[in-house]
Amino acid sequence: MPGLTTDSSNALVPLSPGAHVRVVYPVRHGLKPPISRISISWSRGNSLRVSVFREPPTESDDSDGEAGGKVVQVKLGVGDGEVDDAQWRRIAYGSVSPFALLQSRRNSVLALSKMSMSSSPYHSDWWEYVMEYSKGISSLLDNARPLPDVVIDDPKTVVKKVEEPTCLKAAWELLEIFYADKESQAWLPERIVDWLADYNILFSGTQITVHSKLVEFQKDIVSLQAIEDDPKYWEVISSALAVGWLEIVVKLLRLHGSYQLDQLSNRETENGLVEAVAVLISKMPRMRPELEAGRLGECFKTKPDFIKAWEKWRAQITKLDCSSFWIQCDHRQTREGLRNMLQVMLGNTNNLSASTCHWIELYISHFLYVRPFTVGLESMHALAQKCIQLKPISTSHRLMGLLIGILGENTEVVLAECSKAFGPWMVVHAIELLTAGSDQAEIILREERDHLGEISIEELHRLVYAQVLSSHALTWQIAPIYLTSCMKQGMGLLEVLLYKQPVQHIQMLLKTAEICQLYDLESISSNIMKIAGVYHWKHGRKGSGVFWLQQAQDEFRLNKIAQKLFDFVGRSISDESFKQWEGLIELLGSQSKIAWGLDFLHKYRDFKKSLQQVHVGKTSDAALQAVESLMSLMKNPSTPQRFWLPLLHDSLRLLCWKERPLLNVAQTNLLLNKLQDLSIARLRPDFIEASLPPQALSSVRLALATNLGRAILEE
């Protein structure tokens, strides 16, 4: 097994000691010192409950109004809490179906390729399968939804309020763009532009971004009388333009004071320049198939058409930049702000660097205005390194590390970033995207390695994720999906997982049996049911124990139980003792395979019921039925000799029936012969005497003799 250690008996996938890294978790309790005591205990899931207690105040100290202690929870593991435990479980369960479907399709494709002797196992439709899988996973991660639309749109609302997306969704979409979406490879830079527009808000937590600048400025818009006089106005416009948020730029430009009706006549030239820039922005060429409704720009699907439109558009910008109308514009802030925007659109690197906040924004601005024809990950990675040098940052975001790994075509780095930032779920499901677009990645991830126990990196991560699922009572049921996809060690670890499930809970036991049936693990299912049967029997739940042993078809233990019942009833065949075990005898059945057979006990039950009807004063028909049951028992070879005398003693009322003899001569002689055999058997040392009165044998003899005489006279 991979990384096998000496202390690994309780783990599905043992981890080596080198995998343990010292991690520091902050405890924000907010109490003033001095702190006298700290108590730590486990909470739900992977959280610790930390109780912090202050030094108790003395009588001389004045109370400061502070609490005497506080209890906080510290969540262990990766992640920043943006996805809670319930959401993670929903994602884990929801991702099972797309994962299983893709594995099924892969197995089918591999089987067909072996039949056709094809060199490449994947055909052209495989991209569609991977994209369908990616969309299915992405739909589970979608957390950003706009607030309800207002009836009247506020013209001064620049950035719409939405629920903040998750880094998990952003990372998955980034992987989808580069690895799964084959159709978007021709306009990959535009896809990255859209990605930043959707997820730039995520970078605002660690550093200033264009989004955070827009949000801050939007708070001040209402209080501004002349918006064009505020330097922040032109700053946020240039920043939004640099990252390609054209709709926001045009909307902000239309808030310019020159558009007011009372200003048009006095500021006609100024308004014309503002409108000219707005029109140029709205007509910006975009090399992409289409834009969503409400998005600005002109789309071009082919490179020649785009180049032609791009050169024409830049010529118009250059012409406007050299226009004499700038001299006639008296408003300095407007003149400088608009000309700065023209320099941004012309791709001036100094203006782009000044307008952006971090290297990814600068990276996007180069795609839009400097190098729109960038193709290939090698050139994109070189551009990213250049932008990092121009815009270095002190605190790197986890999405930045992932993007660098993708651009560098380094599969190990991408996996490491996914594992460090998002945990084993992300790694297991992202591997399907990484291997879809790269033969090198497939070799790296699916090649068996000796130091991993002759398994691949892909299988190792699936085993680790399966262990994570197995560690929680609400997710262990889906771990078999991932274990069965591991060809080397999956089935063995699945067997370990199933055996580790508790058998005392009926629902858990039924789920385990269902999983065994699903994967044709009949022997494991039988063993687990045997374990459950023995457990319930030993803990006093006799009926449940017999039921599960019957489900396991454990004839050996059922025979033992039957023999035990048989012996117990035989020692005391009273009504009370029989009622105590009657339900269990009924559950065991009357199979002849059981030692001595329980057929006798079932017939004895019928005899006791008939005899009870006789004792409560029923008619002679009931007595005749009881006699038939008695004769059936006495003739049955499975009825042991030690039961003969108790049966006849219970039947004394039948033997002495007042109206007429109920037994004929032949039946009476049969019973007398049984008594004779019983007398001889009592001489053996191993004979077991029944708990009856001392005169029981003589009473039965007298009753049979009396019945014989009456029967002879009647016949």
Side-chain angles (χ1 to χ4, degrees):
M1 295 181 67
L4 188 61
T5 60
T6 57
D7 187 16
S8 59
S9 58
N10 294 324
L12 280 179
V13 184
L15 300 177
S16 60
H20 299 287
V21 181
R22 189 172 298 175
V23 182
V24 178
Y25 297 94
V27 179
R28 299 179 177 88
H29 52 79
L31 292 177
K32 294 181 179 179
I35 303 299
S36 64
R37 187 162 56 93
I38 294 178
S39 173
I40 302 176
S41 61
W42 280 109
S43 182
R44 298 183 61 184
N46 60 333
S47 299
L48 289 178
R49 183 184 292 112
V50 181
S51 303
V52 185
F53 302 94
R54 295 183 67 202
E55 189 76 34
T58 61
E59 296 181 358
S60 59
D61 295 338
D62 295 332
S63 176
D64 55 4
E66 285 288 325
K70 194 171 275 188
V71 179
V72 295
Q73 282 196 349
V74 178
K75 188 171 183 179
L76 307 180
V78 298
D80 53 4
E82 64 176 5
V83 182
D84 57 22
D85 292 341
Q87 180 72 358
W88 267 119
R89 288 194 294 271
R90 188 185 73 84
I91 293 172
Y93 271 92
S95 56
V96 167
S97 180
F99 178 83
L101 179 60
L102 188 66
Q103 299 308 309
S104 176
R105 286 173 169 172
R106 172 179 285 111
N107 294 335
S108 300
V109 169
L110 292 175
L112 290 174
S113 65
K114 290 180 181 178
M115 294 175 60
S116 61
M117 303 297 291
S118 175
S119 58
S120 176
Y122 303 116
H123 49 77
S124 58
D125 295 338
W126 183 249
W127 286 96
E128 299 178 6
Y129 295 154
V130 175
M131 196 62 188
E132 181 183 346
Y133 161 79
S134 179
K135 293 297 183 185
I137 298 294
S138 181
S139 64
L140 301 170
L141 311 178
D142 198 0
N143 193 35
R145 50 182 182 273
L147 299 176
D149 294 335
V150 294
V151 178
I152 301 176
D153 188 18
D154 186 357
K156 293 187 178 182
T157 300
V158 179
V159 182
K160 291 184 178 181
K161 293 183 179 180
V162 297
E163 186 176 348
E164 184 174 334
T166 62
C167 290
L168 186 63
K169 174 67 181 295
W172 185 267
E173 190 165 325
L174 201 59
L175 294 172
E176 179 184 292
I177 291 172
F178 283 94
Y179 295 107
D181 194 356
K182 186 178 181 182
E183 295 180 353
S184 68
Q185 296 301 311
W187 49 286
L188 191 57
E190 284 283 345
R191 284 295 309 273
I192 304 177
V193 172
D194 293 343
W195 178 83
L196 183 65
D198 293 334
Y199 301 108
N200 196 26
I201 185 176
L202 296 174
F203 299 101
S204 302
T206 57
Q207 53 208 343
I208 299 175
T209 63
V210 173
H211 182 274
S212 64
K213 290 167 66 174
L214 285 169
V215 171
E216 289 297 323
F217 180 70
Q218 184 170 271
K219 299 176 183 178
D220 303 331
I221 289 181
V222 180
S223 60
L224 294 176
Q225 296 296 328
I227 194 172
E228 64 274 14
D229 293 339
D230 191 342
K232 289 185 178 179
Y233 171 69
W234 298 105
E235 180 184 345
V236 297
I237 287 182
S238 297
S239 296
L241 179 62
V243 294
W245 299 354
L246 308 185
E247 303 78 21
I248 294 177
V249 175
V250 172
K251 189 171 186 177
L252 284 171
L253 285 176
R254 296 282 161 76
L255 296 177
H256 194 275
S258 64
Y259 281 95
Q260 298 181 11
L261 295 177
D262 58 343
Q263 299 286 330
L264 285 175
S265 58
N266 300 329
R267 306 171 68 178
E268 184 176 356
T269 302
E270 184 180 350
N271 178 258
L273 290 171
V274 174
E275 182 63 22
V277 173
V279 171
L280 283 173
I281 292 172
S282 62
K283 298 294 183 180
M284 178 180 175
R286 311 290 292 269
M287 190 172 176
R288 56 190 301 159
E290 59 183 0
L291 282 166
E292 298 177 2
R295 300 281 302 275
L296 299 180
E298 294 184 351
C299 299
F300 297 90
K301 296 182 180 180
T302 61
K303 189 174 181 179
D305 293 340
F306 174 76
I307 293 175
K308 187 176 180 180
W310 173 263
E311 292 176 350
K312 180 180 178 181
W313 181 69
R314 286 176 63 91
Q316 292 173 343
I317 296 173
T318 304
K319 183 178 180 181
L320 179 60
D321 188 39
C322 299
S323 173
S324 60
F325 288 105
W326 297 107
I327 302 175
Q328 304 174 24
C329 181
D330 298 329
H331 196 271
R332 181 182 58 83
Q333 291 91 339
T334 300
R335 183 174 64 252
E336 293 177 355
L338 292 177
R339 300 199 74 170
N340 181 61
M341 293 173 64
L342 293 180
Q343 291 301 312
V344 169
M345 290 188 285
L346 288 173
N348 188 305
T349 55
N350 293 329
N351 293 75
L352 291 176
S353 181
S355 300
T356 53
C357 301
H358 54 81
W359 73 264
I360 294 185
E361 291 179 351
L362 180 61
Y363 187 58
I364 296 300
S365 66
H366 275 72
F367 282 147
L368 289 170
Y369 305 110
V370 181
R371 301 171 61 178
F373 311 110
T374 303
V375 292
L377 290 180
E378 185 177 353
S379 58
M380 295 177 71
H381 183 256
L383 177 59
Q385 293 296 335
K386 177 182 177 182
C387 293
I388 292 174
Q389 294 176 1
L390 294 174
K391 282 280 185 180
I393 54 176
S394 57
T395 305
S396 178
H397 196 276
R398 47 183 168 171
L399 292 175
M400 294 181 178
L402 178 61
L403 180 58
I404 289 296
I406 293 173
L407 295 175
E409 300 183 84
N410 195 323
T411 305
E412 291 90 342
V413 172
V414 174
L415 274 185
E417 291 292 335
C418 289
S419 178
K420 180 176 67 174
F422 306 105
W425 176 89
M426 183 66 165
V427 177
V428 168
H429 296 86
I431 285 177
E432 303 299 331
L433 303 185
L434 297 178
T435 55
S438 171
D439 294 335
Q440 181 184 2
E442 184 165 4
I443 294 173
I444 293 174
L445 298 177
R446 291 182 174 154
E447 183 181 19
E448 296 180 358
R449 300 171 184 265
D450 294 336
H451 68 280
L452 295 180
E454 296 184 353
I455 64 174
S456 63
I457 294 178
E458 178 186 50
E459 183 168 338
L460 174 63
H461 284 292
R462 288 181 182 177
L463 295 176
V464 172
Y465 179 56
Q467 179 169 340
V468 173
L469 295 174
S470 304
S471 64
H472 200 288
L474 298 179
T475 55
W476 75 268
Q477 300 94 327
I478 58 179
I481 299 292
Y482 299 90
L483 289 175
T484 52
S485 66
C486 302
M487 303 305 296
K488 290 285 186 178
Q489 300 183 7
M491 296 306 294
L493 294 177
L494 175 58
E495 181 177 346
V496 174
L497 171 63
L498 294 175
Y499 278 128
K500 282 179 175 289
Q501 301 310 311
V503 296
Q504 60 267 33
H505 303 299
I506 182 67
Q507 295 299 330
M508 190 81 75
L509 194 54
L510 290 174
K511 186 63 181 180
T512 304
E514 180 184 347
I515 292 174
C516 291
Q517 183 180 7
L518 183 63
Y519 296 105
D520 297 328
L521 303 175
E522 296 180 359
S523 61
I524 297 176
S525 176
S526 177
N527 291 337
I528 292 174
M529 289 178 182
K530 290 177 184 178
I531 295 171
V534 173
Y535 175 87
H536 286 288
W537 179 269
K538 287 185 175 181
H539 286 77
R541 294 183 286 272
K542 308 295 186 183
S544 296
V546 171
F547 171 78
W548 288 111
L549 290 175
Q550 286 179 329
Q551 295 298 312
Q553 299 180 355
D554 189 353
E555 295 293 340
F556 175 77
R557 289 178 177 82
L558 288 174
N559 287 342
K560 289 287 186 180
I561 293 173
Q563 183 65 50
K564 184 176 181 179
L565 286 177
F566 199 80
D567 294 340
F568 182 86
V569 176
R571 286 194 297 269
S572 177
I573 197 166
S574 62
D575 293 344
E576 291 75 12
S577 64
F578 192 81
K579 287 180 180 179
Q580 182 181 356
W581 300 97
E582 184 177 2
L584 198 57
I585 293 170
E586 178 66 25
L587 183 61
L588 277 169
S590 58
Q591 294 87 350
S592 58
K593 293 181 180 179
I594 298 176
W596 287 93
L598 291 180
D599 186 50
F600 157 71
L601 295 179
H602 287 273
K603 290 183 178 181
Y604 179 72
R605 178 198 58 192
D606 298 337
F607 167 68
K608 295 294 288 186
K609 288 180 179 179
S610 302
L611 202 60
Q612 185 179 8
Q613 292 180 351
V614 173
H615 286 293
V616 297
K618 297 292 183 179
T619 61
S620 57
D621 293 338
L624 290 173
Q625 185 177 356
V627 169
E628 290 180 4
S629 298
L630 173 63
M631 297 308 300
S632 176
L633 283 169
M634 298 301 291
K635 292 179 180 179
N636 194 337
S638 65
T639 303
Q641 284 184 332
R642 65 177 182 269
F643 291 108
W644 290 354
L645 185 57
L647 287 172
L648 293 174
H649 188 266
D650 290 342
S651 307
L652 283 176
R653 186 170 182 179
L654 299 176
L655 300 177
C656 302
W657 196 256
K658 293 182 179 181
E659 298 178 4
R660 64 183 183 85
L662 298 178
L663 284 77
N664 57 30
V665 176
Q667 292 173 334
T668 307
N669 286 328
L670 175 65
L671 296 182
L672 287 171
N673 291 333
K674 292 288 185 180
L675 276 183
Q676 184 65 27
D677 295 339
L678 181 62
S679 300
I680 299 174
R682 293 175 69 183
L683 300 176
R684 297 197 303 267
D686 60 342
F687 183 80
I688 301 175
E689 289 283 355
S691 301
L692 293 174
Q695 68 276 14
L697 180 60
S698 58
S699 299
V700 172
R701 284 185 185 277
L702 179 60
L704 286 174
T706 303
N707 185 85
L708 179 61
R710 294 173 64 193
I712 292 173
L713 292 175
E714 184 172 324
E715 292 181 2

